[in-house]
Amino acid sequence: MTDTLTSTGAAPSAPARPKRKIDVNALLVEGRALVALVVIIVVFALLSDNYLRPENLILMTRHVAMNAVLAIGMLLVILNGGIDLSVGSTVGLSGVVAGYLLRGYDMPFTALIAYPPVWVVIIISLAVGAFVGLINGLLVSRLKIAPFIATLGMLYVARGVALLITNGETFTALRGSETLGNTGFLTVLASSPLGIPFPIWVMVAFALVFSLLLTRTAFGRWLYATGGNERAAELSGVPVQKVKVWIYVLAGFCAGAVGLLLTADLPAATPRGGELYELNAIAAVVIGGAALSGGRGTIRGTIIGAFVIGFLVDGLVIVGVSTFWQQVIKGAVIIIAVGIDQVQQMISKRNAVKRAHVPSSAPAAPAGTPA
């Protein structure tokens, strides 16, 4: 028995070198977002003395925070193999609802004007975002409408509702009045506790909560399972349809939070708020290493991807690059990220095929022999 334990215990130590080589290759590919971020920081630090100034770093991180929160919701949808093109419009709609409530609204069938407290405004705005996500989830899960089509339609619906509420105008009276008891919106959401802007605190909180959701709960395991193989997950007892609905609800909730932050940051509620935000969110998720086919991606990678997009765009602005070239460069970065993702998938499939053929081609090979 002792000899058997010794031999079996020593066997796993032999293939350590090949495993280490594979891990290094995977690290180089999966860590592309972090490598890109470091390169961006170094390049722009050399091009501009102002790039690494503390106040500038805080400002850039504040810009990143909103896209990061939106990208976290987008990650959930992409992990499921879907897409949500309506989050940008949801940002605008939630912000408009907040502005509409803050400036007061006419009570139906009366001559009264209601001024709800700030906490009610925040809850309603978040609920609006979640409700838009709920509609998306039901369209995708119950009516079997392709996510691209369902959310594309909702993109126009949400933007149209925002325009109807404001009649195409922008709400600017958001500070409220102490006598009405509706002050504090800008005081809180546009504040800087401990010298750090409030949106950054929100980004950190969302990152922690959703990271725990994906890694420490059954819902997270279900989400990765449905994204990897929906049919197999369904046969294993995973509530696939409920997972689909909830990921869109959470994505809408994240969009609602960004709508509030954007309204406080301007400070104004505009029906055009959040335009093209969905593209930046998708870019952050893809650059962060998530697979558009679903089943692979992390909160950490998505946050880094958001920093890549944000620090790149702000760096181009600082060094005076034309806005037209900014679009070209950002698009090129996204294409490169997707290209590397495809290379990674091809390498993974090739390695999987090789591993599948090892037992049949060399069944008698000792455990320590490199493949």
Side-chain angles (χ1 to χ4, degrees):
M1 177 66 70
T2 303
D3 294 341
T4 302
L5 290 174
T6 303
S7 59
T8 56
S13 62
R17 186 169 299 175
K19 285 185 178 180
R20 189 179 299 116
K21 181 178 180 181
I22 294 174
D23 290 340
V24 170
N25 291 337
L27 181 63
L28 290 176
V29 178
E30 294 176 358
R32 59 184 179 269
L34 183 59
V35 172
L37 179 60
V38 172
V39 171
I40 288 171
I41 293 175
V42 171
V43 169
F44 286 113
L46 295 175
L47 294 176
S48 173
D49 295 334
N50 296 325
Y51 189 76
L52 290 181
R53 292 176 59 183
E55 57 271 24
N56 189 56
L57 289 175
I58 291 178
L59 179 61
M60 290 192 299
T61 304
R62 180 175 183 164
H63 296 162
V64 167
M66 296 188 197
N67 186 35
V69 173
L70 197 63
I72 287 173
M74 185 66 73
L75 172 66
L76 302 182
V77 178
I78 290 179
L79 282 174
N80 189 250
I83 199 74
D84 191 348
L85 300 179
S86 68
V87 291
S89 296
T90 305
V91 168
L93 177 58
S94 298
V96 161
V97 169
Y100 178 74
L101 296 174
L102 286 169
R103 70 196 298 268
Y105 64 95
D106 297 329
M107 295 290 290
F109 310 110
T110 69
L112 301 177
I113 300 178
Y115 295 92
V118 171
W119 66 270
V120 173
V121 172
I122 292 175
I123 290 176
I124 292 177
S125 297
L126 292 174
V128 167
F131 180 71
V132 174
L134 175 63
I135 296 176
N136 285 331
L138 292 176
L139 291 175
V140 173
S141 64
R142 304 301 181 186
L143 298 184
K144 307 300 181 182
I145 299 176
F148 182 90
I149 301 299
T151 58
L152 177 63
M154 190 54 62
L155 179 154
Y156 289 106
V157 171
R159 188 68 67 189
V161 172
L163 289 168
L164 287 171
I165 292 174
T166 63
N167 197 26
E169 299 177 356
T170 297
F171 297 151
T172 56
L174 305 182
R175 294 192 176 277
S177 171
E178 292 185 3
T179 58
L180 298 174
N182 64 339
T183 58
F185 182 78
L186 298 181
T187 304
V188 175
L189 298 185
S191 63
S192 297
L194 302 179
I196 299 176
F198 192 76
I200 298 179
W201 289 108
V202 174
M203 175 185 67
V204 173
F206 270 63
L208 291 175
V209 170
F210 280 89
S211 181
L212 291 175
L213 179 68
L214 291 181
T215 60
R216 295 289 187 270
T217 67
F219 177 82
R221 294 190 293 271
W222 292 344
L223 178 53
Y224 280 105
T226 55
N229 190 322
E230 182 175 317
R231 181 57 179 164
E234 190 172 16
L235 293 174
S236 300
V238 174
V240 173
Q241 304 306 322
K242 288 184 179 180
V243 170
K244 280 188 178 182
V245 172
W246 274 106
I247 58 174
Y248 284 98
V249 170
L250 292 173
F253 179 84
C254 291
V258 175
L260 289 170
L261 295 175
L262 180 63
T263 300
D265 189 59
L266 289 176
T270 170
R272 296 294 181 184
E275 281 189 328
L276 301 181
Y277 275 32
E278 62 275 3
L279 301 183
N280 286 333
I282 294 171
V285 174
V286 172
I287 292 174
L292 290 174
S293 56
R296 192 186 75 236
T298 63
I299 297 294
R300 179 181 63 253
T302 298
I303 297 296
I304 296 175
F307 271 92
V308 169
I309 292 293
F311 277 32
L312 173 64
V313 172
D314 285 349
L316 294 173
V317 172
I318 290 174
V319 299
V321 175
S322 165
T323 55
F324 306 129
W325 276 108
Q326 291 177 28
Q327 299 297 321
V328 172
I329 294 172
K330 185 165 68 172
V333 170
I334 296 172
I335 293 173
I336 292 172
V338 174
I340 295 177
D341 179 72
Q342 294 300 314
V343 172
Q344 177 183 357
Q345 292 188 38
M346 288 189 293
I347 293 175
S348 299
K349 290 179 180 178
R350 188 179 304 167
N351 290 337
V353 171
K354 289 182 179 179
R355 288 193 297 268
H357 284 79
V358 166
S360 58
S361 60
T369 302

